[in-house]
């Protein structure tokens, strides 16, 4: 990196002195990053940020005096800034993290449960990638649905299943996304009618977190949303989300599609991997599938989407204007996998239309 290139300025906010020290050490090791300060709670953070605003904030969610989510909402309300949430790898921590993502955080980093050595070995790259991803994000594009808007959309879509759609139960919609995807999926799935084609989804997210994410979406949507289990059938009105730490693939048995959920090595630095899902959809669904790649950093899914297109599937990439990070859609377009480019607010109508196409 040349001296002319600007380093990513990072502020670390965590009530644990040990964690602050570890995170700072990792960030300082990176040639493209620098720590501009550490703080034990949001009040100290505000003092550090005066006159020295960071490019990225790493933020603990459970702190004294003011919790991380309250602080996050204040930041997003006054000066939107990329925030990486640092959360414990527990079910309770996952539920809190879903709330943080809804409030505007762009990435998740799971803090160590064991000692420093284990942490440095297993989580160092995760933190670095989360910060780099956050630094390139457009936080202005993080727009959760208001309760009123969500109800309005659902009311608009409430209608009985059409005859055309009831005949096309073998349609499959495959979606892949990463940074910014949690809000994107909320905006896409919330207005979908209960008779939309079955969906299989990979959202890059740590294990334990996907179950909480699916549960949150299920409470917002007319369709059923759940974390996928091995052998689940893909059916209309159901969205299956790949579990964190497991690859999900599509298989066909007779007239029906099912998912297989398996442990495996990372692909494109991810497990679950969008490419793994998309390639299986290309093999087993072909022209009966629709694929779309949404906001996210990196190139996971680009080649898989091309495989889907070559197998006869209709394929889309989210447009740059509505992405939090344009990396994954950009690579899909570059590799020729995306037949069409569509902005986020138009995706629900696209998916409904594809569900009704024979």
């Amino acid at each position: 990196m040349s001296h002319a290139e600007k380093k990513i300025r990072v502020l670390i906010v965590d009530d644990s002195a040990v964690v602050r020290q570890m995170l700072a050490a990792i960030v300082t090791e990176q040639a493209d990053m620098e720590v501009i300060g550490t703080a034990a709670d949001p009040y100290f953070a505000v003092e550090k940020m005066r006159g020295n605003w960071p490019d990225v904030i790493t933020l603990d969610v459970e702190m004294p005096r003011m919790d991380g989510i309250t602080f996050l909402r204040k930041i997003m309300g006054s000066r939107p800034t990329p925030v990486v949430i640092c959360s414990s790898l527990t079910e309770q921590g996952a539920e809190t993290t879903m709330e943080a993502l809804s409030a505007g955080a762009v990435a998740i980093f799971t803090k160590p449960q064991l000692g420093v050595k284990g942490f440095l070995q297993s989580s160092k790259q995760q933190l670095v990638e989360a910060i780099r991803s956050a630094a390139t994000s457009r936080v202005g594009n993080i727009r959760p649905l208001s309760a009123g808007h969500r109800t309005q959309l659902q009311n608009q879509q409430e209608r009985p299943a059409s005859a055309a759609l009831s005949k096309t139960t073998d349609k499959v919609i495959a979606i892949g996304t990463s940074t910014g995807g949690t809000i994107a999926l909320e905006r896409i799935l919330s207005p979908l009618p209960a008779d939309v084609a079955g969906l299989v989804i990979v959202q890059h997210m740590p294990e334990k977190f996907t179950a909480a994410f699916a549960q949150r979406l299920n409470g917002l949507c007319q369709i059923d949303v759940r974390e996928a289990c091995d052998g689940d059938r893909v059916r209309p009105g159901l969205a299956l989300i790949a579990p964190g730490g497991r690859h999900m693939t599509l298989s066909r048995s007779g007239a029906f599609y099912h998912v297989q959920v398996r442990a495996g090595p990372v692909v494109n630095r991810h497990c679950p991997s969008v490419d793994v899902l998309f390639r299986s959809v290309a093999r087993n669904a072909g022209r009966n599938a629709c694929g779309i790649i949404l906001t996210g950093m990196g190139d996971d899914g680009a080649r898989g989407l091309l495989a889907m297109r070559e197998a006869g599937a209709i394929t889309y990439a989210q447009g740059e204007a509505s992405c939090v990070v344009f990396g994954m859609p950009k690579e899909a377009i570059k590799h020729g996998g995306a037949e069409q480019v569509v902005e986020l607010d138009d995706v629900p109508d696209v998916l409904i239309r594809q569900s009704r196409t024979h």
Side-chain angles (χ1 to χ4, degrees):
M1 179 175 140
S2 69
H3 292 296
E5 291 181 41
K6 183 176 177 289
K7 289 189 175 186
I8 301 169
R9 295 151 46 83
V10 181
L11 174 68
I12 297 165
V13 186
D14 197 295
D15 65 336
S16 166
V18 174
V19 171
R20 291 198 303 274
Q21 183 179 7
M22 289 191 299
L23 298 187
I26 292 171
V27 171
T28 303
E29 285 178 3
Q30 311 308 311
D32 60 341
M33 300 179 189
E34 63 178 335
V35 177
I36 64 166
T38 64
D41 66 29
Y43 290 98
F44 288 122
V46 169
E47 294 297 323
K48 296 284 179 75
M49 291 159 70
R50 288 198 175 113
N52 196 19
W53 202 271
D55 298 315
V56 176
I57 300 168
T58 70
L59 183 62
D60 186 17
V61 287
E62 296 179 4
M63 291 179 291
R65 298 210 290 173
M66 183 191 295
D67 66 90
I69 293 174
T70 300
F71 183 47
L72 172 62
R73 291 197 175 109
K74 289 179 181 295
I75 293 170
M76 293 304 164
S78 59
R79 186 172 173 177
T81 303
V83 172
V84 174
I85 286 294
C86 295
S87 178
S88 300
L89 191 59
T90 62
E91 280 80 0
Q92 183 179 359
E95 291 173 9
T96 307
T97 301
M98 290 308 106
E99 191 177 351
L101 287 168
S102 180
V106 297
I108 306 169
F109 169 71
T110 53
K111 290 193 294 188
Q113 296 293 294
L114 303 173
V116 176
K117 184 177 179 181
F119 166 64
L120 290 174
Q121 289 174 343
S122 65
S123 304
K124 179 177 180 177
Q125 196 58 35
Q126 181 195 357
L127 172 66
V128 170
E129 288 179 4
I131 292 173
R132 289 199 182 107
S133 179
T136 63
S137 66
R138 301 179 181 184
V139 290
N141 281 342
I142 300 174
R143 296 178 297 118
L145 290 179
S146 66
H149 187 201
R150 188 181 303 122
T151 301
Q152 179 185 6
L153 284 170
Q154 290 177 340
N155 289 339
Q156 288 173 358
Q157 297 294 347
E158 285 177 357
R159 52 182 176 268
S162 68
L165 185 54
S166 65
K167 294 175 184 174
T168 56
T169 55
D170 60 348
K171 283 282 184 178
V172 178
I173 296 168
I175 301 176
T177 186
S178 188
T179 311
T182 54
I183 296 299
L185 288 171
E186 178 181 315
R187 296 187 69 83
I188 290 168
L189 300 185
S190 292
L192 293 181
D195 56 4
V196 73
L199 299 102
V200 286
I201 300 169
V202 166
Q203 159 75 62
H204 294 158
M205 190 175 280
E207 60 178 314
K208 298 186 185 292
F209 287 71
T210 40
F213 178 49
Q215 185 177 7
R216 172 181 167 75
L217 286 176
N218 192 57
L220 301 176
C221 301
Q222 288 188 80
I223 65 171
D224 294 325
V225 184
R226 66 171 182 252
E227 185 182 59
C229 294
D230 188 46
D232 278 347
R233 182 185 159 192
V234 179
R235 59 169 176 78
L238 172 65
L240 295 171
I241 297 178
R246 298 285 188 275
H247 289 301
M248 181 171 73
T249 56
L250 184 78
S251 62
R252 184 160 192 162
S253 175
F256 302 118
Y257 294 107
H258 296 82
V259 294
Q260 294 179 327
V261 177
R262 300 279 191 274
V266 296
V267 176
N268 300 328
R269 303 194 312 277
H270 295 287
C271 184
S273 162
V274 181
D275 264 334
V276 169
L277 173 64
F278 281 5
R279 288 183 191 279
S280 71
V281 173
R283 285 192 306 270
N284 296 296
R287 62 180 62 254
N288 286 331
C290 168
I292 180 164
I293 197 155
L294 303 174
T295 175
M297 186 177 184
D299 64 355
D300 188 27
R303 292 165 184 81
L305 195 69
L306 177 59
M308 286 184 63
R309 185 177 183 183
E310 290 173 341
I314 303 296
T315 58
Y316 300 88
Q318 184 180 348
E320 182 175 10
S322 59
C323 280
V324 175
V325 178
F326 188 48
M328 285 166 58
K330 180 180 180 180
E331 290 300 315
I333 295 166
K334 176 181 167 184
H335 283 82
E339 184 177 343
Q340 299 179 47
V341 175
V342 61
E343 297 301 341
L344 182 61
D345 288 342
D346 296 323
V347 173
D349 285 340
V350 166
L351 299 187
I352 294 168
R353 188 170 65 248
Q354 288 303 323
S355 294
R356 299 197 169 114
T357 303
H358 289 284

